[in-house]
């Protein structure tokens, strides 16, 4: 692991154990952390995928995000574009998850309207544990049945569109309250609109991309959600930011 320094709130070099504590999920019954990597000029993909922006420091915190989560939440378009096949923990991840009292393998939860997730999607057919598919009642029953026959657990949460609140509340009810959301932009936008995002983890990578790449969140217009800066790290190239969503008292 390269040297990663915390520059705020206090300057110090971080060992692996320090990073684990910093990126661990709180003891809350529900915590939704959203992870994105962005170029310095705001692009979130290169040639349609995020891999071209990832740096060594980003890969460390990305791994911590899903190593320490109960479930990895992703939009179907992103799952297909990025070639998601479910998680396959190595010995290091297995030991980390054991220490934090987590199940050996975190399942993937995929959000889809139906059109973007084929019945034989690798995120369903190649996953080591059943994938959770969240869709709306507008998705054809035949497609829902095909997802199920290929090994997925299917949840209908919403009529014309998938309900962000329904997705999160169902995951909590399933005992999967530590939620690592890895995009895409429309899923992130829907979670912002639903008011269920607790933390935003953003890596600013040292690249300029230009082009027409999408921004991190897309969707309807909402009142801006105020954020509180939680930590700033750097390896001398990338900047790793953690923001907490400010909540009104009692919310």
């Amino acid at each position: 692991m390269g040297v990663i320094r915390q520059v705020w709130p206090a300057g110090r070099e971080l060992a692996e154990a320090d990073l684990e504590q910093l990126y661990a999920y709180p003891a809350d019954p529900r915590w939704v952390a959203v992870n994105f990597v962005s170029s310095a000029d705001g692009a979130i993909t290169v040639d349609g995928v995020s891999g071209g922006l990832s740096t060594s420091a980003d890969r460390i915190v990305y791994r911590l995000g899903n190593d320490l989560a109960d479930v990895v939440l992703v939009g179907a378009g992103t799952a297909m574009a990025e070639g998601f096949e479910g998680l396959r923990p190595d010995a290091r991840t297995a030991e980390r998850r054991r220490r934090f009292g987590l199940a050996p393998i975190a399942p993937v939860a995929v959000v889809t309207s139906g059109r973007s997730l084929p019945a034989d999607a690798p995120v369903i057919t190649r996953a080591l544990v059943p994938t959770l598919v969240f869709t709306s009642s507008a998705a054809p029953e035949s497609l829902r049945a095909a997802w199920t026959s290929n090994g997925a657990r299917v949840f209908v949460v919403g009529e014309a569109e998938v309900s962000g609140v329904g997705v999160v509340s169902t995951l909590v009810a399933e005992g999967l309250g530590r939620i690592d959301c890895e995009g895409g932009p429309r899923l992130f936008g829907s979670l912002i609109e639903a008011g269920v995002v607790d933390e935003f983890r953003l890596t600013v990578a040292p690249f300029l991309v230009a082009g027409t790449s999408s921004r991190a969140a897309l969707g309807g217009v909402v009142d801006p959600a105020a954020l509180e800066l939680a930590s700033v790290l750097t390896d001398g190239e990338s900047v790793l930011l953690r923001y907490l969503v400010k909540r009104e008292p009692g919310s």
Side-chain angles (χ1 to χ4, degrees):
M1 182 181 80
V3 175
I4 294 180
R5 289 188 56 83
Q6 180 172 292
V7 297
W8 192 90
R12 58 180 179 137
E13 289 188 7
L14 299 179
E16 183 173 309
D18 298 320
L19 286 166
E20 287 180 343
Q21 291 303 317
L22 198 63
Y23 283 85
Y25 294 74
D28 301 52
R30 185 214 80 186
W31 192 263
V32 179
V34 180
N35 286 274
F36 268 90
V37 59
S38 165
S39 66
D41 61 340
I44 61 166
T45 60
V46 176
D47 295 329
V49 295
S50 61
L53 294 172
S54 186
T55 63
S56 58
D58 177 63
R59 287 187 286 274
I60 289 170
V61 299
Y62 175 87
R63 178 170 179 162
L64 284 166
N66 52 55
D67 278 3
L68 299 175
D70 291 317
V71 62
V72 173
L73 177 64
V74 65
T78 296
M80 295 302 294
E82 302 281 354
F84 274 47
E85 295 183 353
L87 302 180
R88 286 168 169 73
D90 59 15
R92 185 178 183 183
T93 292
E95 190 273 335
R96 176 179 281 160
R97 292 184 67 82
R98 181 193 59 76
R99 282 191 287 109
F100 279 81
L102 297 164
I105 302 174
V108 175
V110 183
V111 176
T112 179
S113 61
R115 297 182 298 275
S116 54
L117 188 68
D120 60 352
V123 71
I124 294 175
T125 60
R126 296 183 58 82
L128 298 181
V129 295
T131 294
L132 287 67
V133 175
F134 288 90
T135 192
S136 71
S137 56
E141 289 188 16
S142 59
L143 182 56
R144 285 184 255 159
W147 290 329
T148 300
S149 66
N150 282 338
R153 299 179 62 203
V154 179
F155 300 86
V156 176
V157 288
E159 297 182 3
E161 297 181 352
V162 179
S163 162
V165 171
V167 170
V168 172
S169 62
T170 301
L171 289 174
V172 172
E174 291 286 319
L176 304 172
R178 288 166 285 198
I179 302 167
D180 173 32
C181 178
E182 297 183 357
R186 294 199 179 279
L187 174 57
F188 186 16
S190 72
L191 297 177
I192 294 172
E193 191 172 0
V196 295
V197 176
D198 298 292
E199 182 177 351
F200 181 38
R201 301 171 176 178
L202 175 66
T203 297
V204 180
F207 304 107
L208 295 175
V209 174
T212 57
S213 176
S214 177
R215 57 186 289 180
L218 295 172
V221 177
V222 299
D223 290 335
L227 301 177
E228 176 183 357
L229 187 63
S231 66
V232 181
L233 314 181
T234 185
D235 64 347
E237 295 184 344
S238 303
V239 179
L240 314 171
L241 304 169
R242 288 176 55 248
Y243 289 100
L244 304 181
V245 176
K246 289 185 178 180
R247 301 289 187 199
E248 295 295 328
S251 65

